[in-house]
Amino acid sequence: MSILLLPARTARKGPWTNVRSAHWRPLLVPTVIHTQRYRSFSSSPSPHTNSHSNNPNSDPRVPLDESRWSDVKSSVLAVLSVCSAILLPTKAVSNESKTPSTQKPVLELKVDPRDPKEQEKEKEREKDKDKIKLPGPLPDIPIPKISLDDLMEKVHDLGEKIGEEIKGRVPTLADYFSAVDTIRKELQLGEGSLYQSIVSNMSDPNKNPEIQLDASVRQGNDLCPQELAFQAARRKKMKKAFAKFIGVKESDIHENDIPVVALAGSGGGYRAMISSLGYMTAAKKAGLFDCAMYMAGVSGSCWMIAQYLTLGQRSFTKTMEHFKQSLNTPIAHYPSFIDTMLTNPGAAQLILEGVVQKYSKNRVLTLVDAFGTVLGSRLLIHRERDGDNGEWVDPLDFKMSQQSRWVNYGDQPLPIYTAVSHVLPGATSQPDPIEEIIVDDEVAKEDSDEHYYQWFEMTPYEFGSEETSAWIPTWSFGRRFVEGKSVERVPETNLAILLGTFGSAFTATLADYYNEVRPLLNKAMSDSMDTYIKEYLDGMSLIHPLSPSCFPNPIYKLPNPEPEAEAFSQRKNIYLNDAGMDNNLPLYPLLRPGRKIDVILAFDSSADIESVPWFEKADEYVKRRGIERWPPISKKRAEQLAKQEGGPPRKMTHVEIFHGIVADDRDADHVVPVEKKKSSEDPPPPPKAVTPLEKSHVQPITLIYFPLIPNQEYHDFNPGTEAFCSTFNFELKEGQVELLAGLGENNFNKGLEDVRKVLKETWLRKKQERLEREKLEKKMHRKNPVTSTASKSTPEKSDAPKPK
């Protein structure tokens, strides 16, 4: 594939005038697919001729068919005949003047000695050959005189018209050399290159105001003040929308009774990105989206949420239009990427910022960073708005922390992006060297095979993990921290790098790769491979053929870390993977106690959706963390299958509802986390006594599960068998985008009334519990009025001076 450039406007004095000041436009010469012959471009423009008209048949994209070539030859002959008459002016020859003179006709025809019949045949052959008749004798035609200046003016005007028609089609040698110079300058990282411009901007506080601030680690798992303020603002914005959604008066709604709803999108590449958009579009049309407090994602759903909040301008319709225009070119189509780099300096600088910043600071670069850079050029750039200078690109869109502009006042649900770190067995306290590109610095012990994935989340406010109980401001992610303090001031990590990290499914373990390939094998081959690989499968679960994304560890040498983060705090770097390697649904961040979520709508676009183990993994997580309120989904599914034993297999429906319970015999309610147990023989402690007032605060979680399965009422379309729905396919046509998003939208509508019913029941339950709680508080006040009065009369501490 070649890339040549063409000036946007041609200089009047010639093609070589003001070449440097011209605005260059891309010319992408398509790859030759057919076996037709194409004429190559090989001509050097003369200083006195227009380079666009050197060869009228030099367009390398036009096949050289014989009929077109005959037309061109005939036209050339005709033009030459007319030009010869114009360039050889003469007086008109009168028909009445028969006297000989010294003046000869312009075109003198000689008498053909051949037989007239032969002449006719020759003419017929010439006619078939050239498609036109050559002009006849011209002496009797009066030809006006024309000056050379007038002729050149007309030729120039004609050239301008032709130039406008062929502009952007026929390259010039000057354009080619200009492109080569630009590429050479970028590769040499010389003065004026994008690299130097980005490095210079890194220290510019006007473009990166966060470099004026120091950051520190916040320990504990309480929500940050910014998120608490967001929750209060969002409740006020949701009140009217929620009343309309469940069909009651707004005056009947108390803000504290509104169910806390979270929308959760799964991973699955473009398939998940587009289908999640379809689900959320339907939720927006139904009024449910305006009742949601959070929207979380894994992998492809993270990509959708990021685009919705940036170039989608908080409109699912605009986001959909962007998908249809941007996804029809493969992500690995390097000419398109280079085109953006050469023709849009503003956009190119934003796309390359992340990888240049990491490189300039001697950070560990991996394939994930390159993937994120290319992915950003495809997902974060408006194809229909490509401009010379890229003024339409908003630099703030490439900073995750700046998404707070749209959520601070409760106008949008708070986005939650996810990633995981693979904790390998037998951790040591040896920090990893910065220059090594490795998966993990920990050395496995032979007598230990425990490993798990540690979940991290990122919002516009904070980055961190509940399992480490440590958090940093999102604008400081990417800096080096020592002992809980940032030791450098660098710009916030670029959004393109983060998108690559969130969707880095290709950094999976060897075991994950085998599990992906296994369904494609026939039974005999898969059984044979299982027998051979079985003894190596555990080891394969610890090996990542491709290194995950690498960042400085925010809790490096953190004083007094949590017990489960003690070993982790001795590592300089943190390696982050696609969260779908552990669970393809972002359930864990939604289980944080401070978020008090009542209902989760999970949009699952996983590949093998009928056999995914996401609920079993979630059950393991809640037992490990001692989380209450989670519904026993695995147990319920097992009971369903047991009841159907001997009958037809259970068929998945478009919506499945799992209600959480709060009961003394729940396994997950009273589990002690592994790290807090003294030994495996110690019995768990007895259940903690719960007062009626405390019990009224415990709200069970309801999971509403939407699997992406075929819908007979929509189309004969199964995303599980269509090749374009593959997780690793990065090219979709406009019709395919509409088909996939439409399936998600129609599947949501099939369960809409179930969702409405669940939310109304949850609202009524919370309202009843609030009223009972208020009665208990009044009752306690009547029993002990002294204590209550004393607590009310105690003034709150204030640093403000007392009035005199």
Side-chain angles (χ1 to χ4, degrees), residues 606-625:
S606 302
D608 301 324
I609 201 162
E610 295 196 15
S611 59
V612 292
W614 312 136
F615 300 122
E616 289 79 358
K617 286 181 175 289
D619 286 349
E620 294 173 3
Y621 178 82
V622 299
K623 289 179 180 179
R624 187 173 87 238
R625 301 295 300 165

Side-chain angles (χ1 to χ4, degrees), residues 164-419:
E164 290 296 326
E165 292 294 326
I166 65 175
K167 185 182 295 184
R169 301 179 185 178
V170 181
T172 68
L173 201 58
D175 303 333
Y176 175 77
F177 285 138
S178 176
V180 171
D181 288 340
T182 302
I183 296 173
R184 182 170 60 244
K185 182 172 66 175
E186 294 302 330
L187 293 177
Q188 293 175 347
L189 309 181
E191 189 67 27
S193 65
L194 284 175
Y195 175 85
Q196 291 295 339
S197 177
I198 293 171
V199 171
S200 176
N201 289 340
M202 288 176 63
S203 58
D204 186 351
N206 293 321
K207 297 184 178 180
N208 298 294
E210 65 270 16
I211 64 175
Q212 303 174 85
L213 304 173
D214 292 318
S216 60
V217 177
R218 182 182 70 86
Q219 292 184 262
N221 280 329
D222 294 334
L223 298 183
C224 64
Q226 295 92 333
E227 185 169 342
L228 292 174
F230 156 78
Q231 287 182 336
R234 183 65 174 168
R235 287 192 197 96
K236 294 181 178 180
K237 291 292 180 69
M238 291 192 302
K239 186 176 179 181
K240 181 177 181 180
F242 182 75
K244 182 178 180 181
F245 182 74
I246 65 173
V248 299
K249 296 179 180 179
E250 185 178 354
S251 58
D252 295 338
I253 301 296
H254 190 285
E255 290 180 10
N256 294 338
D257 300 337
I258 301 176
V260 180
V261 178
L263 308 177
S266 77
Y270 278 7
R271 178 187 66 251
M273 180 178 72
I274 297 169
S275 59
S276 293
L277 175 67
Y279 277 114
M280 293 200 182
T281 299
K284 179 69 174 181
K285 292 179 179 178
L288 176 64
F289 184 81
D290 295 327
C291 305
M293 182 74 72
Y294 296 95
M295 54 179 173
V298 168
S299 190
S301 292
C302 289
W303 299 346
M304 187 280 295
I305 295 172
Q307 291 174 92
Y308 167 76
L309 290 172
T310 55
L311 50 77
Q313 301 177 32
R314 283 71 57 201
S315 167
F316 291 118
T317 301
K318 291 182 179 179
T319 306
M320 180 66 175
E321 290 301 316
H322 170 63
F323 283 177
K324 291 191 291 186
Q325 294 163 356
S326 298
L327 305 185
N328 55 12
T329 302
I331 190 174
H333 189 252
Y334 68 89
S336 177
F337 178 79
I338 297 176
D339 170 25
T340 302
M341 299 301 103
L342 293 177
T343 60
N344 294 285
Q349 182 164 325
L350 292 171
I351 292 169
L352 294 174
E353 268 184 352
V355 69
V356 169
Q357 288 173 4
K358 294 189 73 173
Y359 176 79
S360 65
K361 291 296 180 181
N362 296 320
R363 300 287 195 258
V364 176
L365 289 173
T366 68
L367 183 62
V368 179
D369 300 314
F371 172 69
T373 301
V374 176
L375 186 69
S377 70
R378 179 62 48 200
L379 301 184
L380 300 178
I381 300 298
H382 280 291
R383 300 263 76 80
E384 78 279 9
R385 283 196 251 169
D386 284 350
D388 290 334
N389 299 316
E391 296 91 347
W392 50 268
V393 180
D394 189 352
L396 296 180
D397 282 350
F398 285 77
K399 294 180 183 291
M400 175 76 73
S401 64
Q402 291 301 319
Q403 293 181 12
S404 61
R405 295 174 293 168
W406 319 120
V407 299
N408 280 342
Y409 301 102
D411 296 322
Q412 299 289 334
L414 183 69
I416 303 176
Y417 305 89
T418 58

Side-chain angles (χ1 to χ4, degrees), residues 534-563:
K534 185 177 181 180
E535 58 180 313
Y536 303 104
L537 200 57
D538 292 339
M540 292 170 61
S541 300
L542 306 178
I543 300 174
H544 295 258
L546 298 175
S547 181
S549 188
C550 180
F551 301 95
N553 184 6
I555 65 170
Y556 178 57
K557 294 186 177 180
L558 182 68
N560 304 317
E562 291 293 318

